[in-house]
Protein backbone atom coordinates (compact mmCIF):
# COMPACT_ATOMS: atom_id res chain seq x y z
CA UNK A 1 0.00 0.00 0.00
CA UNK A 2 1.31 3.44 -0.91
CA UNK A 3 1.06 6.37 1.42
CA UNK A 4 1.32 10.02 0.52
CA UNK A 5 1.94 12.92 2.86
CA UNK A 6 2.78 16.58 2.69
CA UNK A 7 5.47 17.64 5.12
CA UNK A 8 6.69 21.10 6.10
CA UNK A 9 10.02 21.43 7.87
CA UNK A 10 11.71 24.43 9.42
CA UNK A 11 15.38 23.92 10.22
CA UNK A 12 18.36 25.87 11.43
CA UNK A 13 21.71 24.63 10.19
CA UNK A 14 25.10 25.81 11.37
CA UNK A 15 28.63 24.94 10.28
CA UNK A 16 30.91 24.71 13.32
CA UNK A 17 34.56 24.83 12.30
CA UNK A 18 35.79 23.20 9.11
CA UNK A 19 34.50 19.66 9.67
CA UNK A 20 31.36 19.78 11.78
CA UNK A 21 27.79 20.83 11.04
CA UNK A 22 24.76 20.86 13.31
CA UNK A 23 21.05 21.31 12.67
CA UNK A 24 17.86 21.43 14.67
CA UNK A 25 14.43 21.13 13.06
CA UNK A 26 10.68 21.16 13.61
CA UNK A 27 8.32 19.51 11.15
CA UNK A 28 4.65 18.85 10.66
CA UNK A 29 3.04 16.44 8.21
CA UNK A 30 -0.46 15.80 6.89
CA UNK A 31 -1.20 12.29 5.58
CA UNK A 32 -3.66 11.41 2.85
CA UNK A 33 -5.72 9.34 5.32
CA UNK A 34 -6.28 12.37 7.61
CA UNK A 35 -3.57 11.61 10.16
CA UNK A 36 -1.08 14.30 11.26
CA UNK A 37 2.34 14.21 12.86
CA UNK A 38 4.72 16.65 14.52
CA UNK A 39 8.47 16.09 14.98
CA UNK A 40 11.53 17.71 16.48
CA UNK A 41 15.09 16.58 15.86
CA UNK A 42 18.82 17.20 16.07
CA UNK A 43 21.43 16.19 13.47
CA UNK A 44 25.21 16.37 13.64
CA UNK A 45 27.78 15.52 10.96
CA UNK A 46 31.60 15.30 11.05
CA UNK A 47 33.71 15.14 7.87
CA UNK A 48 36.30 12.37 8.09
CA UNK A 49 37.84 12.83 4.65
CA UNK A 50 37.30 15.37 1.90
CA UNK A 51 38.71 15.36 -1.60
CA UNK A 52 37.96 17.51 -4.62
CA UNK A 53 34.45 16.14 -5.37
CA UNK A 54 34.04 13.52 -2.66
CA UNK A 55 33.31 13.55 1.05
CA UNK A 56 33.23 10.80 3.66
CA UNK A 57 31.53 11.71 6.94
CA UNK A 58 29.89 10.17 9.95
CA UNK A 59 26.73 11.47 11.53
CA UNK A 60 24.52 11.22 14.56
CA UNK A 61 20.87 12.08 15.09
CA UNK A 62 18.13 12.10 17.69
CA UNK A 63 14.49 13.11 17.64
CA UNK A 64 10.92 12.57 18.66
CA UNK A 65 7.62 12.47 16.81
CA UNK A 66 3.97 12.05 17.65
CA UNK A 67 0.89 11.22 15.60
CA UNK A 68 -2.61 12.59 16.17
CA UNK A 69 -4.26 9.21 15.48
CA UNK A 70 -3.13 5.64 15.99
CA UNK A 71 -6.16 4.23 14.16
CA UNK A 72 -8.13 5.58 11.20
CA UNK A 73 -11.85 4.72 11.21
CA UNK A 74 -11.27 2.04 13.85
CA UNK A 75 -8.49 0.17 12.01
CA UNK A 76 -4.72 0.22 12.42
CA UNK A 77 -2.85 2.48 10.03
CA UNK A 78 -0.76 0.87 7.27
CA UNK A 79 2.29 2.60 8.79
CA UNK A 80 3.64 3.05 12.30
CA UNK A 81 1.75 5.94 13.91
CA UNK A 82 2.54 5.90 17.63
CA UNK A 83 1.34 8.60 19.98
CA UNK A 84 5.03 9.18 20.77
CA UNK A 85 8.26 7.81 19.29
CA UNK A 86 11.87 8.64 20.12
CA UNK A 87 14.81 7.69 17.90
CA UNK A 88 18.60 8.08 17.77
CA UNK A 89 21.47 6.65 15.77
CA UNK A 90 24.85 6.85 14.08
CA UNK A 91 25.95 6.34 10.51
CA UNK A 92 28.51 6.87 7.78
CA UNK A 93 27.89 8.75 4.52
CA UNK A 94 29.78 8.94 1.21
CA UNK A 95 28.91 11.85 -1.10
CA UNK A 96 30.08 12.56 -4.64
CA UNK A 97 29.48 16.07 -6.01
CA UNK A 98 29.17 17.04 -9.67
CA UNK A 99 28.58 20.46 -11.26
CA UNK A 100 24.82 20.68 -10.59
CA UNK A 101 23.94 17.40 -8.83
CA UNK A 102 25.23 14.85 -6.33
CA UNK A 103 24.95 11.18 -5.39
CA UNK A 104 25.09 9.98 -1.80
CA UNK A 105 24.96 6.61 -0.06
CA UNK A 106 24.64 6.17 3.70
CA UNK A 107 24.55 3.28 6.11
CA UNK A 108 23.23 3.72 9.63
CA UNK A 109 22.43 1.91 12.83
CA UNK A 110 19.55 3.33 14.77
CA UNK A 111 17.47 2.65 17.80
CA UNK A 112 13.99 3.81 18.61
CA UNK A 113 11.05 3.31 20.89
CA UNK A 114 7.33 3.73 20.47
CA UNK A 115 5.55 4.60 23.70
CA UNK A 116 4.80 1.42 25.65
CA UNK A 117 6.91 -0.85 23.39
CA UNK A 118 10.50 -2.04 23.87
CA UNK A 119 13.48 -0.43 22.13
CA UNK A 120 14.03 -1.62 18.55
CA UNK A 121 17.20 -1.78 16.46
CA UNK A 122 16.96 -0.36 12.94
CA UNK A 123 19.92 -0.63 10.53
CA UNK A 124 19.27 0.95 7.12
CA UNK A 125 20.86 1.90 3.79
CA UNK A 126 19.92 5.10 1.92
CA UNK A 127 20.71 6.19 -1.65
CA UNK A 128 20.10 9.83 -2.55
CA UNK A 129 20.28 11.92 -5.72
CA UNK A 130 20.12 15.72 -5.50
CA UNK A 131 19.73 18.23 -8.33
CA UNK A 132 20.51 21.93 -7.79
CA UNK A 133 17.85 23.95 -9.66
CA UNK A 134 19.35 27.35 -8.86
CA UNK A 135 21.17 29.04 -5.96
CA UNK A 136 18.21 28.69 -3.56
CA UNK A 137 16.29 25.64 -4.81
CA UNK A 138 16.99 21.93 -5.14
CA UNK A 139 15.16 18.68 -5.82
CA UNK A 140 16.07 15.46 -3.97
CA UNK A 141 15.09 11.84 -4.67
CA UNK A 142 15.86 9.46 -1.82
CA UNK A 143 15.28 5.73 -1.24
CA UNK A 144 15.79 3.95 2.10
CA UNK A 145 15.65 0.25 2.87
CA UNK A 146 16.04 -1.05 6.39
CA UNK A 147 15.23 -3.61 9.03
CA UNK A 148 13.52 -3.27 12.38
CA UNK A 149 14.47 -5.82 14.98
CA UNK A 150 12.60 -6.16 18.26
CA UNK A 151 9.88 -3.69 17.29
CA UNK A 152 6.61 -5.61 17.43
CA UNK A 153 5.89 -7.25 20.78
CA UNK A 154 3.11 -9.35 19.18
CA UNK A 155 5.52 -11.27 16.90
CA UNK A 156 8.09 -11.85 19.63
CA UNK A 157 10.31 -8.96 18.62
CA UNK A 158 11.34 -10.60 15.36
CA UNK A 159 12.89 -9.25 12.19
CA UNK A 160 10.76 -6.93 10.04
CA UNK A 161 11.55 -5.17 6.80
CA UNK A 162 9.90 -2.04 8.14
CA UNK A 163 12.07 0.76 6.78
CA UNK A 164 11.11 1.01 3.10
CA UNK A 165 10.66 4.59 2.00
CA UNK A 166 10.92 6.62 -1.20
CA UNK A 167 10.99 10.38 -0.82
CA UNK A 168 10.80 13.21 -3.35
CA UNK A 169 11.67 16.54 -1.77
CA UNK A 170 11.78 20.15 -2.96
CA UNK A 171 14.09 22.42 -0.92
CA UNK A 172 13.89 26.20 -0.75
CA UNK A 173 16.66 28.03 1.12
CA UNK A 174 17.28 31.64 1.98
Amino acid sequence: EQLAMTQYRLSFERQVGLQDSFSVYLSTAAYRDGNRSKSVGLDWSHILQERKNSRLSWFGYAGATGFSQQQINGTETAYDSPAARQWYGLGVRQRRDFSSHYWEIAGEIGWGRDRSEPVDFSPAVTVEYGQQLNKDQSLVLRATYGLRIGHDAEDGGGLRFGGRQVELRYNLSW
Side-chain angles (χ1 to χ4, degrees):
E1 182 175 329
Q2 294 182 353
L3 177 70
M5 72 169 195
T6 301
Q7 181 181 44
Y8 297 97
R9 179 173 167 155
L10 178 64
S11 64
F12 173 76
E13 298 180 18
R14 178 80 173 160
Q15 176 115 13
V16 181
L18 297 175
Q19 297 176 300
D20 295 295
S21 63
F22 172 79
S23 70
V24 60
Y25 67 87
L26 301 169
S27 71
T28 183
Y31 292 76
R32 185 186 303 174
D33 63 8
N35 209 350
R36 295 190 168 283
S37 68
K38 293 183 180 178
S39 301
V40 61
L42 303 168
D43 295 317
W44 176 66
S45 179
H46 176 78
I47 297 171
L48 296 170
Q49 183 180 59
E50 190 164 24
R51 294 198 171 109
K52 183 179 178 183
N53 295 332
S54 173
R55 182 181 317 130
L56 177 66
S57 58
W58 72 276
F59 59 92
Y61 57 88
T65 193
F67 285 82
S68 62
Q69 301 176 62
Q70 287 64 61
Q71 296 183 342
I72 305 295
N73 298 326
T75 61
E76 294 289 322
T77 58
Y79 52 94
D80 288 333
S81 58
R85 177 166 179 77
Q86 298 86 35
W87 67 88
Y88 46 92
L90 297 169
V92 64
R93 176 184 301 126
Q94 176 71 52
R95 180 176 170 134
R96 177 92 176 156
D97 291 309
F98 299 91
S99 60
S100 64
H101 66 279
Y102 69 88
W103 282 96
E104 187 172 281
I105 186 164
E108 66 182 77
I109 54 172
W111 295 266
R113 181 180 175 277
D114 294 350
R115 184 181 295 160
S116 79
E117 291 189 10
V119 172
D120 59 62
F121 174 63
S122 306
V125 173
T126 300
V127 176
E128 182 173 302
Y129 171 81
Q131 178 70 45
Q132 194 68 37
L133 302 174
N134 62 38
K135 184 180 130 213
D136 300 321
Q137 300 174 61
S138 65
L139 198 58
V140 175
L141 178 61
R142 180 180 199 171
T144 300
Y145 192 78
L147 303 173
R148 290 186 76 183
I149 301 167
H151 171 70
D152 193 348
E154 292 176 12
D155 70 3
L159 183 67
R160 275 192 354 174
F161 294 91
R164 298 177 304 266
Q165 180 173 324
V166 176
E167 178 181 336
L168 178 61
R169 188 174 70 230
Y170 169 77
N171 295 321
L172 175 64
S173 304
W174 68 90

